[in-house]
DNA sequence: GCCAACGTTGGC
DNA sequence: GCCAACGTTGGC
């Protein structure tokens, strides 16, 4: 069992949008490191911090879980899609995705507040230059976030 | 809109 | 394999 932080732009997919869906297909990842996390490490049941990015108040907005292993991202084959990749083939898909399921919305734990808690300072999302849309979260970091969300 | 910090591409 | 140019992310 592992833990992750997954960034989503609320204008595209907010925690409220996610809660209204039985599962959220996480298509559109076009970064190899992030793909490798999904393909090689993510397992059903892993915990997810649902993070709102590129918005007025970035931060952790909810809890979700991984509900599928990785499978080919169909948007790579769709020439009309923003995510189309001409180098991907059915035989050798280049991009993978997983499904997640939103569990609950939480009070927003803003990026600003996250930075004030020393027990979160190791989180990858807080590191300078960190841009990955999916990052691993340690058990200690997960537990610390849960404590803060319960207050 | 700015820009730091990456990641990717492609010529050589 | 190097690396300059370019593209993207995402907070501010």
């Amino acid at each position: 069992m592992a833990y992750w932080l997954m960034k989503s732009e609320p204008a595209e997919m907010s925690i409220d949008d996610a809660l209204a869906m039985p599962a959220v297909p996480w298509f559109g990842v076009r970064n190899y490191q992030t793909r490798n996390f999904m393909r090689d490490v993510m397992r059903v049941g892993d915990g997810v911090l649902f993070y709102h990015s590129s918005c007025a108040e970035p931060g952790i907005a909810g809890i979700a879980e991984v509900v599928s292993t990785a499978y080919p991202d169909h948007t790579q084959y769709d020439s009309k899609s923003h995510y189309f990749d001409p180098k991907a083939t059915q035989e050798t898909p280049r991009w993978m995705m997983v499904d997640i399921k939103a569990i609950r919305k939480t009070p927003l734990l803003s990026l600003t507040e996250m930075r004030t808690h020393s027990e979160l300072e190791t989180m990858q999302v807080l590191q300078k230059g960190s841009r990955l849309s999916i990052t691993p979260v340690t058990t200690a970091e997960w537990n610390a976030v849960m404590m803060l969300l319960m207050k």
Side-chain angles (χ1 to χ4, degrees):
Chain A
M1 166 88 165
Y3 300 106
W4 306 93
L5 180 143
M6 297 175 73
K7 295 181 187 172
S8 182
E9 301 188 13
E12 300 293 324
M13 175 66 63
S14 70
I15 183 66
D16 290 319
D17 297 332
L19 279 167
M21 301 168 66
V24 183
W26 213 257
F27 59 82
V29 168
R30 294 295 180 268
N31 170 281
Y32 289 107
Q33 250 185 291
T34 309
R35 177 204 66 183
N36 294 347
F37 283 144
M38 291 196 289
R39 187 189 63 190
D40 305 333
V41 195
M42 275 191 167
R43 295 295 176 256
V44 172
D46 283 0
V48 173
L49 301 173
F50 195 102
Y51 180 94
H52 283 173
S53 67
S54 293
C55 59
E57 272 208 291
I60 294 168
I63 307 297
E65 70 176 334
V66 177
V67 293
S68 86
T69 49
Y71 60 98
D73 178 340
H74 55 86
T75 62
Q76 70 194 303
Y77 307 124
D78 178 359
S79 60
K80 296 189 192 69
S81 169
H82 173 65
Y83 300 114
F84 177 62
D85 184 342
K87 293 181 182 163
T89 66
Q90 296 283 342
E91 294 72 30
T92 53
R94 184 183 269 207
W95 305 110
M96 307 290 281
M97 59 195 271
V98 299
D99 294 344
I100 71 167
K101 178 177 167 47
I103 295 171
R104 63 187 172 91
K105 188 175 183 172
T106 64
L108 186 81
L109 179 57
S110 72
L111 177 59
T112 309
E113 190 184 343
M114 290 171 73
R115 292 196 190 284
T116 69
H117 294 283
S118 60
E119 64 272 32
L120 302 185
E121 70 186 6
T122 55
M123 290 187 74
Q124 285 195 25
V125 73
L126 300 186
Q127 305 311 305
K128 188 179 172 74
S130 164
R131 296 189 310 170
L132 295 183
S133 61
I134 300 178
T135 47
V137 171
T138 67
T139 302
E141 290 161 355
W142 175 274
N143 289 339
V145 168
M146 292 304 122
M147 290 296 290
L148 291 167
L149 291 177
M150 266 190 284
K151 279 185 189 167

